[in-house]
Structure formats: structure tokens, C-alpha cells
Amino acid sequence: MGNQRALELRLLSTEGERRIAFQPSRLFIAGWTARDQAAMQAHIDELAALGVTPPSKTPLFYRVAAARLTVAETIQVSGTASSGEAEYLLARIDGEIWVGVGSDHTDREVETYSITVSKQMCDKPMAATLWPLSEVASHWDSLQIRSYAEIDGKRQLYQEGSLAALLPPAALLAHIKEEEPDGLREGDVLMGGTLPAIGGIRPAARFGFALNDPRRDRSLSSAYHITCLDIAG
């Protein structure tokens, strides 16, 4: 892990809360995780319109440097062709699986020739609070994910839907074990896939995301600004 800065996280359960300094060891981004094959094809088509090659299989797990995870309020990106997408995430901390929400911010130009490289190009903002998976597993499909994008000075609903549209944690953890014999190890983080963008994929000046639990009337959320750096040459 080198000199990677620890993330200041809040582990919140019905029994209380505690704050930890978390150093993620590995980061996986799950792609093509829709339960509805038609919906997944819609997302594949959405990306194909941008020149992205369709996946070889579904789901796929992309490895990204764990240092890309951040709870910062601003990220810096190269150029103006990147955008966020809200995803639930799973983290193994102290032997337990915790649930959070983050943004798989991705460079869309690079994505046209390599999805793996495109995911490595940008930081992955996440909310600093997580819940135990055990507290939401029984009503997982009722959880709602939303994202908002600030475009041309206006805040717009960018994504919205139930997690019933995506593969649940048990399925993802089983799939990743097919490729990683140890499965999700201590310190690992797995982002669980996304929903199609309302109105199509597009960049924003600010991106917000939330995971809502209507059963317990609570939510996890965060937002971040995007600073675009000039591309010289």
C-alpha cells in the first residue's frame, strides 16, 4: 500500500457508530451487472454509441489502483470527456462486509479503446459512511440509487432506480470468487455496477450520488466537483 493516505470512514449500524482510518488494499469495478438483460444491452448500446467495445462476458471485474478511492470533495481529471456514475460498493472491513455508495468516474474518450485503462484514469469518490450488509440484505431490492449532475449551471437528475436492477451482493461475491480464489479479502472494495444515465452519458461540473434505504428511512450520500486540467501537446 506504500504511502497511500488512509480514508476517514464512519461505520454506522443500528448498534452505534465508529470512525476508522481505512487503507483499501484492492479495488474492483464490476461491469455489466444488470439483472435485466434488455437493460444491460441498453447500457452496452449506450456506450457503443461512444465507441466502446462490447464486453467479452458479463459480469466483468476491472482492477483499479486502490489509491483511486477518495472521499475528497473535488477531483482533477484530464480534459473534459469524463463523467461520473453512481454505484453501490462493498468493502470488507474487520471481517465484515459493509455497504456504501460511490461514483465510478470514467474517462469516456479513453473508454473507447480500453475500458480498463479508462477506469484507471480517474479518482473514485465515495461517501464516507457505510452500513453493515447484514442490516440491508433482507430488503436489498428496495434500496434506491440516485445521482445528480450539475450541467450548464443546472442540477439535473442523472440516474435513478432500484438496486433490484443490478446483481445483488451474493451474486457478485460468487462471481468474483471464480476469478479470485480468496474472494473479497480484508481491505478489498468492490463497486457493483451502474444504471443507465437519464438522457445519455455526459460530463458535469459537479456530481452527486446517494443510496437510500426506505425501510429504515436513511441514506448515504456525497458529491464532488470536477476540475478539468488542460491537455498539453
Side-chain angles (χ1 to χ4, degrees):
M1 290 182 282
N3 296 320
Q4 178 182 337
R5 180 177 296 179
L7 303 177
E8 299 298 323
L9 300 183
R10 174 177 174 240
L11 304 182
L12 179 64
S13 73
T14 55
E15 297 180 353
E17 66 175 83
R18 61 189 175 101
R19 297 181 182 273
I20 64 167
F22 176 65
Q23 284 197 318
S25 55
R26 298 188 300 174
L27 173 59
F28 299 90
I29 309 290
W32 323 110
T33 62
R35 296 189 212 180
D36 184 328
Q37 294 298 302
M40 181 160 59
Q41 189 59 51
H43 187 49
I44 291 173
D45 293 343
E46 181 181 53
L47 292 175
L50 301 177
V52 179
T53 302
S56 58
K57 64 176 182 176
T58 60
L60 278 180
F61 297 96
Y62 303 98
R63 284 293 304 271
V64 177
R68 281 297 188 188
L69 277 173
T70 182
V71 293
E73 296 181 354
T74 299
I75 67 169
Q76 296 180 325
V77 300
S78 296
T80 59
S82 67
S83 62
E85 52 187 34
E87 307 198 3
Y88 79 83
L89 62 83
L90 305 174
R92 184 175 289 278
I93 302 172
D94 294 339
E96 184 175 0
I97 300 293
W98 293 78
V99 176
V101 64
S103 173
D104 176 18
H105 202 93
T106 299
D107 187 304
R108 303 302 173 183
E109 285 189 356
V110 175
E111 193 174 38
T112 63
Y113 67 81
S114 175
I115 295 178
T116 298
V117 176
S118 72
K119 303 226 176 264
Q120 179 63 38
M121 292 289 291
C122 305
D123 285 341
K124 310 299 182 190
M126 63 174 286
T129 301
L130 298 94
W131 300 321
L133 175 59
S134 59
E135 290 187 0
V136 295
S138 64
H139 57 281
W140 181 264
D141 285 358
S142 70
L143 301 184
Q144 299 283 327
I145 198 161
R146 294 185 181 89
S147 68
Y148 296 88
E150 183 181 306
I151 301 172
D152 297 328
K154 297 181 180 179
R155 185 174 183 264
Q156 306 173 22
L157 181 64
Y158 190 79
Q159 294 169 287
E160 183 177 40
S162 163
L163 290 190
L166 303 172
L167 291 177
L172 275 190
L173 293 173
H175 278 296
I176 200 169
K177 204 163 186 179
E178 295 173 1
E179 300 182 18
E180 301 286 336
D182 296 332
L184 210 62
R185 303 193 309 230
E186 183 68 25
D188 287 354
V189 177
L190 167 63
M191 300 185 79
T194 194
L195 302 173
I198 299 168
I201 294 170
R202 54 206 187 278
R206 180 176 170 82
F207 193 78
F209 49 91
L211 180 65
N212 302 311
D213 179 358
R215 183 75 60 86
R216 295 184 180 273
D217 190 26
R218 60 183 181 174
S219 64
L220 304 173
S221 64
S222 189
Y224 60 98
H225 291 278
I226 298 98
T227 299
C228 298
L229 306 177
D230 292 337
I231 298 178

